[in-house]
Amino acid sequence: MGKLEEIRERLEVCDKQIVSVLEDRMDIIKEIMEYKKENGLPILQPEQEKRQRKMLKEHVKENTYKEEILDIFTYIVENSRRIQARTLFTHNIFLIGFMGVGKSTVSDYLSKILASPQVEMDQVIVNKEHMSINKIFEEYGEEYFRNCETNLLIELQKKNNQIVSCGGGVAMREINVREMKKNGRVVLLTASPETILERVKDSDERPLLRGRKNTEYISELMEIRRPKYRAAADIIVDTDHKNVEEIAEEIVGKLTHL
Ligand SMILES: Nc1ncnc2c1ncn2[C@@H]1O[C@H](COP(=O)(O)OP(=O)(O)O)[C@@H](O)[C@H]1O
Ligand SMILES: O=C(O)C1=C[C@@H](OP(=O)(O)O)[C@@H](O)[C@H](O)C1
Ligand SMILES: [Mg+2]
């Protein structure tokens, strides 16, 4: 055997060892998830990831390849998140609720922490139509926008493990609720009219609130929509006085025990 072949063989042995250790690591991740589920412990615990990273940095600080090793670990952790997500859910998660409850914000956070694709329905429609939501309402009317939402929900059936941030009106159509339920769990976020006003007051991107940004109108529309939101929901999470991390943890905890 030539020298080069001999070196390559050692490399192959090394790669196989990495594969084997990675498999062990992934099994451990699953074991942790099962233990947390069985014992009702918080599932996401982002602070644990930060501790892990700190420990690792300390461990490799004298290493010649520390940058490269840390880079590899970024991918390892990303994939562990994906395994975590699959251990928890095999379906889509749809966030519904009134404008400003935090559907977009929470879905963005959940998609990162669970390394799962996010679908921001409003944004997908804006991209498809090459028009802002305001412009779609102005040019084609609300009914057209609602049809875009229904068509998109049907399209979303093709994939799993997506975190979908719905527009606030999605749960109003029964066909939309049926589509979401086919391969998804529906999470209703709620908040008081005062909280909603605080969160939407500086944005002009919601045509339904134009010129009506006050708690009276928000309460009125919320009451009209409430029965449909509740009927569609598999779980309900109130968001008043909670930060995004707390809301995400509550969602995952409740979905796990559904
Ligand atoms: N839990 C929260 N606490 C404080 N502010 C929040 C929270 N959730 C969302 N926000 C803020 O409220 C505004 C509306 O949130 P967004 O996610 O766009 O709501 P939605 O998609 O339900 O309309 C954003 O400015 C966002 O940063
Ligand atoms: O409640 C609604 O009918 C709407 C909510 C908006 O989304 P957000 O709930 O994300 O603001 C957007 O889809 C559109 O302005 C209509
Ligand atoms: Mg939104």
Side-chain angles (χ1 to χ4, degrees):
M1 194 193 299
K3 180 74 183 161
L4 189 58
E5 276 68 37
E6 187 257 316
I7 300 172
R8 281 182 178 149
E9 238 174 51
R10 276 166 36 220
L11 188 67
E12 202 182 310
V13 170
C14 210
D15 284 350
K16 285 179 180 161
Q17 281 174 348
I18 293 173
V19 170
S20 171
V21 173
L22 279 177
E23 266 173 353
D24 285 350
R25 194 182 191 283
M26 287 164 180
D27 285 344
I28 293 172
I29 296 287
K30 277 194 186 164
E31 205 180 316
I32 292 175
M33 292 310 289
E34 292 307 328
Y35 184 84
K36 284 179 175 174
K37 270 204 257 181
E38 274 164 28
N39 293 281
L41 295 169
I43 302 279
L44 300 175
Q45 296 184 311
E47 70 288 353
Q48 171 60 17
E49 239 181 55
K50 285 189 197 127
R51 275 198 294 272
Q52 235 176 303
R53 183 85 183 169
K54 208 171 149 210
M55 180 277 294
L56 200 69
K57 268 189 171 167
E58 185 60 28
H59 185 67
V60 298
K61 71 170 190 276
E62 311 289 346
N63 198 299
T64 321
Y65 312 110
K66 72 167 186 273
E67 304 270 310
E68 291 75 12
I69 292 174
L70 287 173
D71 188 39
I72 291 167
F73 265 91
T74 303
Y75 286 97
I76 292 178
V77 170
E78 170 91 0
N79 282 286
S80 294
R81 289 175 175 190
R82 213 164 283 144
I83 292 165
Q84 258 191 355
R86 295 225 187 91
T87 315
L88 291 168
F89 324 106
T90 49
H91 33 67
N92 292 325
I93 298 174
F94 292 92
L95 300 187
I96 63 162
F98 202 81
M99 291 166 268
V101 284
K103 302 176 296 294
S104 301
T105 311
V106 173
S107 70
D108 188 48
Y109 177 78
L110 272 178
S111 85
K112 286 197 181 92
I113 203 141
L114 296 171
S116 303
Q118 182 196 16
V119 179
E120 172 60 55
M121 286 188 66
D122 281 350
Q123 194 55 52
V124 175
I125 293 171
V126 165
N127 294 348
K128 268 194 188 153
E129 300 295 316
H130 306 289
M131 243 184 244
S132 69
I133 304 279
N134 279 329
K135 201 98 184 115
I136 297 172
F137 270 67
E138 270 166 34
E139 298 264 321
Y140 300 122
E142 180 170 348
E143 190 66 9
Y144 179 86
F145 176 72
R146 299 302 174 198
N147 291 338
C148 294
E149 289 184 316
T150 302
N151 291 336
L152 177 54
L153 284 170
I154 293 167
E155 223 179 275
L156 291 179
Q157 301 309 319
K158 290 183 198 146
K159 290 187 195 157
N160 283 318
N161 278 106
Q162 306 168 106
I163 316 279
V164 185
S165 170
C166 297
V170 159
M172 297 306 112
R173 278 192 178 180
E174 270 166 32
I175 181 184
N176 293 352
V177 178
R178 277 203 303 279
E179 287 303 322
M180 290 192 281
K181 298 265 183 189
K182 276 186 188 165
N183 68 339
R185 297 283 180 273
V186 179
V187 177
L188 170 60
L189 300 182
T190 60
S192 68
E194 292 72 23
T195 301
I196 297 288
L197 181 61
E198 187 53 35
R199 292 187 190 158
V200 301
K201 69 179 191 316
D202 299 325
S203 158
D204 281 321
E205 283 160 20
R206 294 177 177 89
L208 296 182
L209 294 180
R210 263 203 183 154
R212 299 188 282 201
K213 272 195 229 144
N214 55 70
T215 49
E216 291 71 29
Y217 179 72
I218 290 171
S219 301
E220 200 180 298
L221 185 56
M222 206 184 257
E223 284 314 312
I224 294 170
R225 288 181 165 190
R226 191 192 305 274
K228 294 223 162 134
Y229 282 143
R230 293 198 164 247
D234 291 308
I235 63 158
I236 302 175
V237 173
D238 182 45
T239 69
D240 275 328
H241 316 295
K242 290 178 196 157
N243 64 34
V244 178
E245 288 85 350
E246 290 167 325
I247 297 162
E249 186 64 62
E250 201 173 321
I251 292 173
V252 171
K254 285 188 171 167
L255 283 177
T256 309
H257 296 106
L258 207 62

